Amino acid sequence: VWRFPYLCYSNGGALFLIPYAIMLFLVGVPIFVLELSLGQFTSSGPVTCWKFSRLFSGIGWGMVVVSALVSIYYNMIIGWALYYFVASFFELPNDALPWQKCIV
């Protein structure tokens, strides 16, 4: 994730913006508008708004699972950031900082 912008820059980053913008406007925006309009039309959540067709019944559960996994991922990143933020204010034994060595 952190290396991707650097690689795009070093390999002609402006060229990457052209397919990105095309896919954003041709795929991303219509799917986003579809999701918003379907949710507003049915006045229900992601699981129950797909009940009009049995073929699409798993999409709602997939949306919930993906949202839960992304939330867990971002909460872990926030936890790491808070840990290192608090650890930077305190003097630890032997003057060892948590990020001086890799524990993995």
Side-chain angles (χ1 to χ4, degrees):
V1 171
W2 309 114
R3 194 173 156 215
F4 181 70
Y6 169 74
L7 288 177
C8 285
Y9 172 74
S10 63
N11 295 317
L15 190 60
F16 171 74
L17 291 177
I18 295 170
Y20 177 80
I22 291 171
M23 292 306 292
L24 176 70
F25 290 111
L26 291 180
V27 177
V29 173
I31 289 177
F32 178 68
V33 171
L34 170 72
E35 185 177 349
L36 287 180
S37 60
L38 184 63
Q40 189 173 17
F41 177 73
T42 60
S43 299
S44 60
V47 175
T48 56
C49 73
W50 296 98
K51 286 193 174 186
F52 66 89
S53 173
R54 290 187 149 251
L55 181 66
F56 300 130
S57 63
I59 293 177
W61 286 108
M63 291 167 61
V64 170
V65 168
V66 167
S67 296
L69 292 175
V70 168
S71 318
I72 292 169
Y73 176 74
Y74 283 135
N75 282 326
M76 288 299 297
I77 292 176
I78 290 170
W80 289 335
L82 289 176
Y83 171 72
Y84 289 122
F85 177 72
V86 171
S88 67
F89 287 110
F90 298 107
E91 184 176 342
L92 298 172
N94 302 328
D95 293 328
L97 296 174
W99 51 85
Q100 283 182 334
K101 60 181 178 173
C102 182
I103 59 174
V104 175

